[in-house]
Each structure stands twice: as structure tokens, then as C-alpha cells.
């Protein structure tokens, strides 16, 4: 498996990433030199206790937050300090996001939520609705296409969020506790969907607390005290 | 930006507004109300101005009305308390010596209850003696027959013209021209029927040459008051003619030019110009009030939009995470603000115009209120103000929205 990974292109690369927050007079060093290399098509899990810096790392990977020191390369391009406009364009082009609390827009239907990233790519309404419908169909959500988020179950909402994350055919999908709000069976269902996505070549980085979920990925990274301390590659 | 994408952006914004209907309506109502009140105030002010203007136009606006009084100050050895009375030579001298005079007439009223009879029908009316030029001063509109002329005056003809109410009461539907009526038992031939939209009192009156009245009813050359129109276009011109008339009469009747009680002069032009000044002030006041209410609406929209942006920070965070740029967020909030302001402002504008139309239809006969309307320039001006105010109202919320960091907005509560 390791060889298989090494054969592939390095899609995401972090070197000595530092991030510090200031809270009053206190400086909190959340990340203290994170090194990470992810190859195209990999599915990895990042685990760690609360406050270990998992979400901060994901925000930096997702260009939602900046870092103080280090190097970040995404799909062959260095991500330094950049304008919010450029960050938004890169997020739309390269990244997909899945969150624990789904973050669907409540007054849009499932289909409209899925189609939204294509709106920012200036894809016509007809085409983006058509593509959204195709993605919902693949995830078994077509019958709920015209339902609003408050009419869907947790698992259904997460499938809609997954469809939204992959509709732009991103290089990397970042999932922050994607099963945190779901029961066991539903969580396993969602992970099966992740597996399907991954087999289509999309790189997946999943932050999770749950060992059972992490065990379904190719590689598990343990973040502790602001650095990646352990890395375990699944057999 | 290509046109398809431009419409798509608009569709997205309309969709968001439509999906949040209550919030949109509540936000827009303040602007609707502001523009509604502006249009209503402007239209009503205009209606009042038209009404006053029309009332003046239906009489000559450049008229002077002079009536005698009682002296109140000593003058050249004469005691105060002297009654002043006018005579035909006063009228002639004003006409000859004051060149600004256009038309002039002395007037003499018989009693308000003068008995008028036609066959078996008896009525009580006021009979007035005037010169032929008087119809120009009052702007009489002859409905039938003719008005008084100089031959009627010079030959002391016993002819009369009747107000339409007199004609209706005395003759009902019968043809009256050429018929004879008896005024205090003396026969007079009816030569014309007139209407006077500017003065309803005249419709109940009978007019005859003043020379005839003075002769037939033994009034010698006595004149009760003098009416005239003058050539003047502004306050100072009108006041100057008024002074000339006062000075001339003061010289003729031996009273002080400063004696305000000896004669009374009603200057219509001066009064008209005063009204116009008043309306100019009212117009400015209405604009200040109207713009004030629009500004209040704007502040209210801006406040509501700020609250909305706060409420929608998660949605904005999601949009930014998915690829919305700060510019597109500013554009979204600004366009929403402009659409709300323009759309609801337009509703207020149309509602205001509709109410003015209804007012115009139902208050047609009202005195001093006519055609409450606004012109197209003001309507377009109001629309322009709406677009500008919509943009201004949206600026601060839009800047705030653009500054939302997705990482903060999406943090789980």
C-alpha cells in the first residue's frame, strides 16, 4: 500500500507549519512545526485529543486560516500570504469541505445547496442544477432533491454536504468530524460513501475522534501538542 | 461580466429575498412608507398650490380693490372721524392719472334683499352697478347673450346681466335673454347670463351699468368702492401702484397718506405673491420632511441589513468557503439593499400616486385644492434618490459582510 501511495503524485505538502493564537496576554502555540505530505488519491485520518490543533490544521489546509511560519504546497502551488479573493478562488478550484454540522444553507433545497459551488464558477443555472442532480442520484439522494435541510435526517444532510463537496471535482476533500453528529450505522454509511469517492481518485483528509472511522482510511496521523507525533499506515 | 451571469446573479439575489419574504417585506416597508409620504406631501402641497392658483386665476390676480373708511388722524386742520365717500370723478381720475391701470370700475350695491320679479316669480337678490370693464376684473364667463358695453353705460340703458343662479331661480329652464325683469318695480331687459368660477357670490347677483343704477335709483354719482386691474408683476410694482392710488385719493379727499383707516386697499397681486412665497416655503418644508423620512428609512434599512448580515454570517461564511469572493459578497449585499429600496420605494411611489389620483377625483369641487399631482421630473428624481439611498444603506452592511472570516462564521456554537 505504501508503495502504491509513493507511486502517486504528492498533492499536499506541509513543512514546519506554526500557528499561534493570542488570547489576552497569553500566546497559545497551537501548531509547533507540522510536517505532512499527502499523495493524490490517499485517504487519511487525523486524530488527536481536544485542543491538539486538528481543526486549526484543517483550516490551514482549507485556506480558511493563515499560518505564521512554514511552507504549504497544494497541487504544486505554494500557498503563502494571499488575498481573500485568491483564497476563495483556490478553495473553489481545489478543495471540498464537509463539516460535522453539515453547514447547509437552510432556505435552499438539497439540489440548490449542492449546486452552490458551481454558482461561484459562473456555471449556468441549468447546468449546475443538472450536475447537482447527478451527484445526488449517485449518493441515493435524488428523491430528496427538492427537500429543505430541515426536512432531512442527519445522514441525508451529510450526503447532501458530500455531494456539494465533490461537485466541483476537487483535488482534496477536507472533512472535519464528518460523523460526529451521526449514529453508528449512519456513520458507517457515510464512510462507505467516502470510500466510493476516494476510489474515484479524490484525496480525502478526515479529522475524527473515532478509531472505527479512522481505521477505514489508508493512513492515520496522530496530532499531539501541536505536532504530528505518530503516523500509522493501514495494512 | 457576461450578461447571462449578470442575470444569474440577480436571480440568485431575488431567490434569497423571496425565500426570506418576511424579512424582506419588513425591511422594505420603511422605505415604502418614506417615499409614499414624500409623494403624498409633495402632491398634496401641489394640489393646494394649484387650488389657490386656480382661485386667483379665476379672478384677475393683478386686481386692486379700494373701499372708503373713516379718517383716524388730524390732517391739514381736519379732525379725525370723517367718513370718506367715493364718486365717479375718483374713478375717472385714477383711470387717467395712474398709467398702470388696465381696467377700472366703480361699484354700487343695492340691498342684498332687492326684490326682483319675473311674471309671478319673485326673488331677493343683490343688484350691483358696475362699468362695462368690470367683467374683465372678475373674469366673468358669459354663458348666454352678451356682457355690458360702453353704449349701455353712456346711454344709461336699463339692461342687466344675471348670474347663473339668478337665471335658474327666476327663469328656471325658460330662455331669459331679451325678457324683462322688474327690479323694485322698474323693468330691466336681460341681455346676458354669466358664470364666475372664481367667486360663487357673484352667481347670485344681477349687474347693470353703474350709470343706470345711479340714475334710476337716485344715487347721484356715488360709488361704494372701486375695483381695478394693474400692470405689475412683482411685489414692489404692486405696492408702488397701491401707493399711487392711496396718494391720489388722499389728495382728492384731504386725508393723510399715512392714515391707514381712511381707505382700505386689498391688493390681490401682493396677496397672490405672498401665497406663492408661502408655497415655495411649504415646498422646501415638504422636501425636507420627505427626504427626512427617506433618510430615516435608509438608516432603518441599514440597521436591518446590519442585523441581517449578523444573522446570515454563517450563510456568508459557507458561501465564502465554497468560493464566494469578498467582492461578490459586497455585490450581493449591496444589490439586495438596492433591490429592496428600489422595489419597495417603487411600490410606495405608485401607492402615493394612486392615492393622489383618488384624492384628485374625489376632492374635485374642494376650494383651494386642485389636481394634487407630481410631475415626472420629481418622480424620476425620487427614484434616483431611492437607488442612491439603497446603495448608501447597503455600504456598511456589505463591508461588514465582506469582512466575515469563514473560519469564525463556521465555528460550531
Amino acid at each position: 500500500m505504501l508503495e502504491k501511495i509513493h507511486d502517486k503524485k504528492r498533492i499536499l505538502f506541509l513543512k514546519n507549519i506554526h500557528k499561534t493564537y493570542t488570547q489576552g496576554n497569553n500566546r497559545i502555540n497551537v501548531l509547533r512545526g507540522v510536517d505532512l505530505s499527502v499523495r493524490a488519491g490517499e485517504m487519511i485520518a487525523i486524530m488527536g485529543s481536544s485542543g491538539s490543533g486538528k481543526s486549526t490544521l484543517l483550516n490551514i489546509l482549507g485556506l480558511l486560516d493563515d499560518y505564521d511560519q512554514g511552507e504549504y504546497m497544494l497541487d504544486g502551488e505554494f500557498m503563502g500570504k494571499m488575498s481573500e479573493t485568491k483564497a476563495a478562488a483556490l478553495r473553489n478550484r481545489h478543495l471540498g469541505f464537509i463539516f460535522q454540522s453539515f453547514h447547509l444553507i437552510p432556505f435552499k433545497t438539497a439540489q440548490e445547496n449542492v449546486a452552490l459551488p458551481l454558482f461561484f464558477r459562473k456555471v449556468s443555472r441549468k447546468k449546475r442544477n443538472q450536475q447537482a442532480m447527478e451527484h445526488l442520484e449517485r449518493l441515493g439522494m435524488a428523491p430528496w432533491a427538492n427537500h429543505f435541510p430541515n426536512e432531512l435526517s442527519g445522514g441525508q444532510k451529510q450526503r447532501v454536504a458530500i455531494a456539494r463537496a465533490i461537485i466541483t471535482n476537487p483535488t482534496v476533500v477536507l472533512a472535519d468530524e464528518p460523523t460526529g453528529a451521526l449514529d453508528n450505522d449512519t456513520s458507517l454509511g457515510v464512510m462507505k460513501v467516502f470510500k466510493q469517492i476516494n476510489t474515484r481518485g479524490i484525496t480525502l483528509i478526515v479529522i475524527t475522534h473515532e478509531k472505527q472511522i479512522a481505521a477505514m482510511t489508508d493512513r492515520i496521523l496522530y496530532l499531539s501538542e501541536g505536532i504530528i507525533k505518530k503516523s500509522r499506515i493501514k495494512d | 461580466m457576461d450578461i447571462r451571469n449578470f442575470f444569474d446573479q440577480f436571480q440568485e439575489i431575488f431567490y434569497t429575498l423571496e425565500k426570506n419574504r418576511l424579512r424582506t417585506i419588513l425591511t422594505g416597508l420603511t422605505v415604502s412608507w418614506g417615499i409614499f409620504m414624500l409623494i403624498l406631501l409633495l402632491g398634496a402641497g401641489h394640489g393646494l398650490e394649484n387650488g389657490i392658483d386656480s382661485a386667483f386665476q379665476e379672478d384677475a390676480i393683478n386686481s386692486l380693490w379700494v373701499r372708503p373708511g373713516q379718517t383716524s388722524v388730524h390732517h391739514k386742520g381736519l379732525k379725525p372721524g370723517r367718513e370718506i365717500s367715493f364718486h365717479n370723478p375718483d374713478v375717472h381720475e385714477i383711470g387717467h392719472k395712474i398709467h398702470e391701470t388696465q381696467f377700472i370700475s366703480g361699484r354700487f350695491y343695492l340691498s342684498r334683499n332687492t326684490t326682483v320679479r319675473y311674471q309671478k316669480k319673485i326673488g331677493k337678490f343683490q343688484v350691483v352697478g358696475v362699468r362695462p370693464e368690470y367683467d374683465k376684473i372678475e373674469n366673468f364667463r358669459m354663458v348666454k347673450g352678451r356682457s355690458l358695453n360702453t353704449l349701455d353705460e353712456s346711454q344709461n340703458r336699463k339692461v342687466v346681466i344675471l348670474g347663473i343662479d339668478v337665471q335658474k331661480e327666476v327663469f328656471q329652464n325658460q330662455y331669459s335673454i331679451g325678457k324683462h325683469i322688474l327690479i323694485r318695480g322698474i323693468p330691466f331687459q336681460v341681455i346676458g347670463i354669466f358664470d364666475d368660477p372664481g367667486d360663487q357670490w357673484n352667481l347670485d347677483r344681477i349687474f347693470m351699468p353703474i350709470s343706470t343704477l345711479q340714475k334710476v335709483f337716485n344715487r347721484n354719482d356715488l360709488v361704494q368702492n372701486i375695483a381695478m386691474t394693474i400692470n405689475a408683476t412683482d411685489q414692489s410694482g404692486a405696492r408702488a401702484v397701491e401707493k399711487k392710488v392711496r396718494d391720489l385719493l388722499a389728495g382728492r379727499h384731504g386725508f393723510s397718506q399715512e392714515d391707514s383707516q381712511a381707505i382700505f386697499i386689498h391688493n390681490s397681486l401682493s396677496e397672490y405673491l405672498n401665497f406663492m412665497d408661502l408655497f415655495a416655503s411649504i415646498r422646501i418644508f415638504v422636501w425636507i420632511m420627505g427626504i427626512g423620512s427617506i433618510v430615516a428609512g435608509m438608516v432603518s434599512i441599514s440597521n436591518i441589513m446590519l442585523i441581517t448580515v449578523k444573522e446570515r454570517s454563517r450563510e456568508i461564511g459557507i458561501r465564502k468557503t465554497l468560493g464566494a469572493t469578498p467582492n461578490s459578497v459586497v455585490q450581493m449585499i449591496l444589490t439586495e439593499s438596492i433591490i429592496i429600496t428600489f422595489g419597495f420605494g417603487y411600490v410606495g411611489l405608485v401607492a402615493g400616486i394612486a392615492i393622489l389620483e383618488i384624492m384628485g377625483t374625489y376632492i374635485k369641487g374642494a376650494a383651494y385644492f386642485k389636481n394634487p399631482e407630481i410631475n415626472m421630473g420629481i418622480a424620476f428624481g425620487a427614484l434616483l434618490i431611492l437607488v442612491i439611498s439603497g446603495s448608501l444603506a447597503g455600504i456598511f452592511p456589505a463591508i461588514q459582510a465582506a469582512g466575515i472570516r469563514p473560519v469564525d462564521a463556521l465555528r460550531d456554537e
Side-chain angles (χ1 to χ4, degrees), chain B residues 64-70 86 225-226 242 246 249 259-267:
Chain B
L64 281 186
W65 305 79
V66 191
R67 67 182 173 84
Q70 202 177 45
F86 296 154
N225 54 52
I226 300 166
E242 187 182 324
R246 182 176 290 279
L249 290 172
D259 189 347
S260 61
Q261 300 300 305
I263 60 165
F264 300 97
I265 301 180
H266 174 82
N267 190 336

Side-chain angles (χ1 to χ4, degrees), chain A residues 73-94:
Chain A
M73 200 167 77
L74 175 64
D75 203 14
E77 209 177 322
F78 276 105
M79 307 284 122
K81 289 261 180 206
M82 66 179 80
S83 67
E84 181 50 36
T85 304
K86 191 180 177 193
L90 287 170
R91 280 197 294 270
N92 186 264
R93 194 185 335 146
H94 288 295

Side-chain angles (χ1 to χ4, degrees), chain B residues 289-303:
Chain B
M289 290 291 288
I291 288 176
S293 51
I294 287 181
V295 169
M298 249 172 72
V299 171
S300 168
I301 281 215
S302 197
N303 272 332

Side-chain angles (χ1 to χ4, degrees), chain A residues 26-165:
Chain A
N26 297 332
R27 284 169 60 83
I28 304 160
N29 297 317
V30 183
L31 300 179
R32 306 164 182 232
V34 171
D35 295 319
L36 175 65
S37 178
V38 181
R39 301 207 167 251
E42 237 188 320
M43 182 175 177
I44 67 168
I46 298 175
M47 295 189 77
S49 55
S50 290
S52 60
K54 303 188 297 291
S55 292
T56 303
L57 178 60
L58 199 85
N59 288 336
I60 289 171
L61 292 175
L63 305 175
L64 297 171
D65 205 352
D66 48 14
Y67 49 92
D68 303 327
Q69 193 189 317
E71 280 178 10
Y72 173 21
M73 200 167 77
L74 175 64
D75 203 14
E77 209 177 322
F78 276 105
M79 307 284 122
K81 289 261 180 206
M82 66 179 80
S83 67
E84 181 50 36
T85 304
K86 191 180 177 193
L90 287 170
R91 280 197 294 270
N92 186 264
R93 194 185 335 146
H94 288 295
L95 301 167
F97 293 88
I98 297 162
F99 301 96
Q100 181 178 354
S101 43
F102 324 116
H103 290 323
L104 300 175
I105 293 178
F107 58 83
K108 286 186 178 284
T109 62
Q111 187 180 16
E112 288 159 355
N113 264 290
V114 174
L116 191 58
L118 296 179
F119 172 76
F120 301 117
R121 282 197 178 182
K122 299 181 175 26
V123 175
S124 73
R125 181 175 290 265
K126 193 180 165 190
K127 269 189 186 168
R128 58 180 194 259
N129 281 340
Q130 188 188 328
Q131 286 185 41
M133 200 59 197
E134 283 168 16
H135 279 79
L136 285 170
E137 267 169 21
R138 273 186 213 160
L139 294 169
M141 284 297 293
W144 287 273
N146 292 319
H147 285 242
F148 289 97
N150 64 353
E151 297 164 346
L152 304 174
S153 69
Q156 287 171 327
K157 281 181 199 170
Q158 202 56 297
R159 279 166 192 261
V160 172
I162 293 168
R164 184 180 65 184

Side-chain angles (χ1 to χ4, degrees), chain B residues 121-374:
Chain B
K121 184 84 184 164
I122 297 173
K124 303 271 188 191
F125 301 101
Q126 188 166 48
V127 177
V128 189
V130 292
R131 295 192 62 225
E133 296 173 13
Y134 188 72
D135 59 355
K136 313 269 190 327
I137 300 169
E138 285 277 18
N139 270 348
F140 284 167
R141 289 179 196 164
M142 297 310 295
V143 178
K144 274 177 195 156
R146 65 169 178 87
S147 188
L148 301 172
N149 63 27
T150 47
L151 281 177
D152 296 331
E153 186 188 31
S154 61
Q155 295 176 4
N156 303 328
R157 287 176 179 170
K158 287 196 272 184
V159 290
V160 290
I161 57 173
L162 312 180
I164 48 171
D165 287 356
V166 179
Q167 139 82 21
K168 275 179 204 158
E169 199 171 327
V170 175
F171 289 95
Q172 276 107 30
N173 292 326
Q174 292 180 48
Y175 189 73
S176 55
I177 305 297
K179 303 272 170 63
H180 284 81
I181 57 171
L182 298 175
I183 298 174
R184 291 188 179 169
I186 298 164
F188 287 84
Q189 189 181 27
V190 177
I191 58 166
I193 311 295
F194 68 89
D195 189 8
D196 184 4
D199 187 352
Q200 302 287 312
W201 295 102
N202 279 337
L203 303 182
D204 223 15
R205 286 175 177 155
I206 298 168
F207 288 85
M208 67 173 66
I210 190 167
S211 57
T212 307
L213 185 144
Q214 287 168 337
K215 191 172 182 191
V216 172
F217 296 101
N218 287 323
R219 296 300 192 263
N220 300 320
D221 65 347
L222 207 58
V223 169
Q224 283 174 328
N225 54 52
I226 300 166
M228 57 196 285
T229 58
I230 57 170
N231 269 323
T233 51
D234 55 19
Q235 286 274 20
S236 59
R239 293 275 174 221
V241 178
E242 187 182 324
K243 187 172 183 313
K244 281 185 185 176
V245 172
R246 182 176 290 279
D247 291 353
L248 188 147
L249 290 172
R252 286 181 59 80
H253 292 273
F255 62 82
S256 164
Q257 292 165 353
E258 310 305 319
D259 189 347
S260 61
Q261 300 300 305
I263 60 165
F264 300 97
I265 301 180
H266 174 82
N267 190 336
S268 293
L269 182 62
S270 184
E271 193 180 336
Y272 173 75
L273 293 172
N274 276 338
F275 265 113
M276 290 305 112
D277 286 348
L278 174 70
F279 278 112
S281 308
I282 288 176
R283 222 175 293 136
I284 292 168
F285 174 74
V286 163
W287 270 105
I288 291 171
M289 290 291 288
I291 288 176
S293 51
I294 287 181
V295 169
M298 249 172 72
V299 171
S300 168
I301 281 215
S302 197
N303 272 332
I304 295 173
M305 291 296 284
L306 277 172
I307 295 165
T308 303
V309 163
K310 203 167 172 60
E311 253 179 33
R312 290 173 65 184
S313 60
R314 177 160 290 192
E315 177 206 329
I316 292 165
I318 296 169
R319 285 176 183 269
K320 286 180 114 178
T321 303
L322 300 178
T325 60
N327 275 349
S328 72
V329 173
V330 167
Q331 194 182 323
M332 179 178 84
I333 301 293
L334 264 185
T335 315
E336 275 188 33
S337 174
I338 292 170
I339 287 174
I340 291 175
T341 319
F342 187 82
F344 281 88
Y346 188 74
V347 169
L349 184 83
V350 170
I353 290 171
I355 294 288
L356 287 179
E357 283 292 318
I358 293 167
M359 276 166 78
T361 309
Y362 284 94
I363 321 177
K364 230 169 200 162
Y368 303 123
F369 197 82
K370 198 176 182 184
N371 298 336
E373 61 199 6
I374 59 159

